[in-house]
Each structure stands twice: as C-alpha cells, then as structure tokens.
Amino acid sequence: MRPELQVICEASDGPEAVRKAEELKPDLIVLDIGLPKLNGIEAARRIRQLSPSSKIVVLSQNNDLDVVRAAFGTGAQGYVYKADVRSDLLPAIEAVLRGKQFVSSSLKGYEFIDTSGEKAPHRHEVLFYSNDTILLDRLTRFIATALKAGNAAIVLATKSHRDSLLQRLKAQGVDTDSALQQGTYISLDAADALSTIMVNDMPDPVRFFGGIGGSIEAAANAAKSERPQVVVFGEAVALLQAEGKADAAIRFEQLGNDLGKTHKVDILCAYPLSSFHGGEDKHIFQSICAEHSAVYSG
C-alpha cells in the first residue's frame, strides 16, 4: 500500500461498516459486496447518505453486469472484480480519489453514463390520483408522447390499467401493435414483476436492475430516435403500499432514482389517494414525495 494511504478502520459486517463510516467520515471506503448481515450494495447506499463525501470502491467476486450497475447506482465510484484484485485495487483507489470512475477491465460490456453534467437530469415524478380517469389521462399523454417521438415506453401496471391504456393509445393513433412487436412498447403486469424482484418482502437491488434495467436496455435498443429515451410507468409501488409495505415501496422508489444514474430513463409512478389514511400515513406520504423530482395530485 502507498505510504500516503492510511487504513484507519476495518469492519466485519455491513452494519458495522455503516456505523464506522458515519463516525469517521473517511476519504475512501473499500466495501466488500458480500458483507454479512447487510450486503455491500445496501451498505453503500446508507453510507452515501450518512457520509456523502466518502468515496466508495466496491469489491466483489460477482462479474454480472447487473450487479455492477446496482453498485454504481448507489453512488459508488469504483468496482473491482476479486479475480483482478491484485492488479486493479490500487489503480481503482487512485482513480476514485482523483474523482474518476473505475471498473475492472475484465468486466467487458459495462458503459458508464456520462455524469459530467451535460446530460439533463432524469425525471422521476409521482401522481397521486383520486380516480382512474385522472390516472389514465396523464398516463396516456406520458406514453403516447414517447412513442410518437420514436422513443420507447415500459408500463408496469395492473391488467385493467394496461388494457384501458392500450385502448386509449390506439384511439390517439398510436400504432401499438407495431410498437409491441418491435419492442418499443413493453407492457408488464405489476404483480408479476414484483414477484421476480422481491426478497424477504423487500426489493432486491440486483434483481431490480436485472429485470427492469434489462427491459430498459432492450427497449432503448429497439427505439428509432437518434438518441433513444425510455419512459417507464410503474404502479408496483402502489401495490406494495396497499399491502401495508410502505418501506418496500419507498425502497423501490429509491432504486428508481438509482436507475436514473445508469440509464437514460424518465419515470412516472402513481398511487391512489385512497391508499393514504390521514395523519397516520403523513410520514409515509412525505417520504414518497421526497424521492421524486415532481409531485402531482388530482
């Protein structure tokens, strides 16, 4: 190790790593993704909130690109594959301390999203609606605008909402049959999507990025515009909230924000106002709002 690099602490599990990071505020943290009790991805997310100036290099024996994306989605700046640790760890530390991103060279196929500030920030908006007409009016505009511009759209919704949306899009002259066939319009059942992402009643970051992130990449590749944009509508969060799993819904929203760091995507979420019950749900409502770039109610 270079003499100018000083190890000030070691941690044996995820919760301890989070506590020490909050206490010591180190310049850099090398974080093993396989930490016990709390995995490295979730630990990185919490550390970024408690010690935002600390830079993070993730160390992992997993070379799956979905895991790499999940790690960078937390705000980590480096990813070192353990098989390459001897050659890559020190260069990763040096790069990250200089403000650069680093990923092991053996992980072919990973592309960084430009974070120089030239790319407009992604939108992650939420609609709280009092009836289905308000929801479907907004949703139809959101999806139709994207498809007519040659972009792509993904909908994760209930069957009734997906069926009603399809009828409205056709009425507006959107060629949904071609869009579905070409893969620029992907319509998924929200409950089915949740069943592939949830682990122990919480969304799993790797499954989230592998499932939804994979769909976004497929849709973007199918889009016809010069700089393809993907829009995503999701009400899986509303299903979680209706089941009394507010923490899972908020975590899902946070993963949506992480998605915007690694994919060119705009997101619209929706919750029925009837799923919130006065003062007792005020904190939940405010927490959901805090995860979005804009909030609408109608």
Side-chain angles (χ1 to χ4, degrees):
M1 187 66 72
R2 299 287 179 85
E4 66 270 22
L5 300 177
Q6 180 183 359
V7 178
I8 61 172
C9 178
E10 295 182 3
S12 59
D13 58 40
E16 184 183 9
V18 174
R19 290 194 301 271
K20 292 297 184 181
E22 181 180 20
E23 175 188 345
L24 300 172
K25 303 288 194 299
D27 295 323
L28 182 136
I29 300 167
V30 177
L31 199 59
D32 194 318
I33 212 167
L35 286 171
K37 297 184 181 179
L38 184 71
N39 68 61
I41 289 177
E42 185 59 34
R45 164 180 284 281
R46 297 186 189 185
I47 288 169
R48 290 291 295 163
Q49 294 173 342
L50 298 170
S51 182
S53 62
S54 296
K55 300 180 186 300
I56 298 173
V57 173
V58 170
L59 187 64
S60 176
Q61 63 183 6
N62 197 319
N63 63 354
D64 188 310
L65 294 185
D66 291 328
V67 179
V68 180
R69 293 186 182 95
F72 278 104
T74 67
Q77 293 94 341
Y79 191 100
V80 175
Y81 182 38
K82 281 188 176 180
D84 303 326
V85 69
R86 288 182 180 275
S87 60
D88 285 0
L89 182 57
L90 188 57
I93 290 172
E94 292 176 339
V96 168
L97 286 174
R98 292 196 310 269
K100 305 293 184 181
Q101 291 181 312
F102 182 96
V103 65
S104 286
S105 57
S106 62
L107 300 179
K108 304 296 183 184
Y110 184 82
E111 295 182 2
F112 289 114
I113 291 294
D114 180 12
T115 56
S116 64
E118 297 177 1
K119 181 172 74 71
H122 82 110
R123 292 184 298 157
H124 183 191
E125 302 177 345
V126 61
L127 169 67
F128 297 98
Y129 61 94
S130 56
N131 59 64
D132 277 3
T133 299
I134 291 172
L135 168 65
L136 289 166
D137 284 348
R138 177 63 190 276
L139 179 54
T140 302
R141 290 196 301 271
F142 182 65
I143 301 299
T145 299
L147 293 177
K148 287 180 178 180
N151 290 314
I154 298 172
V155 173
L156 291 89
T158 62
K159 185 179 187 304
S160 62
H161 286 161
R162 287 185 292 120
D163 289 347
S164 297
L165 172 62
L166 191 64
Q167 293 174 5
R168 283 169 169 253
L169 290 171
K170 288 181 177 179
Q172 288 205 7
V174 177
D175 188 353
T176 54
D177 292 336
S178 293
L180 286 166
Q181 185 177 4
Q182 294 166 2
T184 55
Y185 180 44
I186 299 175
S187 181
L188 303 171
D189 183 81
D192 288 346
L194 278 177
S195 69
T196 67
I197 293 170
M198 301 294 288
V199 176
N200 297 325
D201 285 337
M202 291 294 286
D204 179 81
V206 174
R207 292 188 178 194
F208 179 92
F209 271 76
I212 297 179
S215 294
I216 290 172
E217 289 168 15
N221 289 334
K224 299 176 182 178
S225 62
E226 184 178 345
R227 295 183 177 179
Q229 180 81 13
V230 180
V231 301
V232 177
F233 169 74
E235 60 178 341
V237 286
L239 299 183
L240 292 172
Q241 168 65 14
E243 294 171 1
K245 300 174 181 176
D247 288 345
I250 293 168
R251 183 73 180 96
F252 210 95
E253 299 285 18
Q254 292 169 343
L255 289 171
N257 284 325
D258 291 345
L259 202 63
K261 299 173 185 176
T262 56
H263 297 76
K264 294 180 181 179
V265 61
D266 286 335
I267 303 171
L268 174 65
C269 302
Y271 297 79
L273 282 168
S274 59
S275 64
F276 298 92
H277 307 288
E280 62 189 82
D281 286 340
K282 182 179 179 181
H283 175 69
I284 295 171
F285 183 86
Q286 292 174 337
S287 295
I288 291 170
C289 291
E291 297 300 334
H292 292 87
S293 57
V295 178
Y296 304 97
S297 181

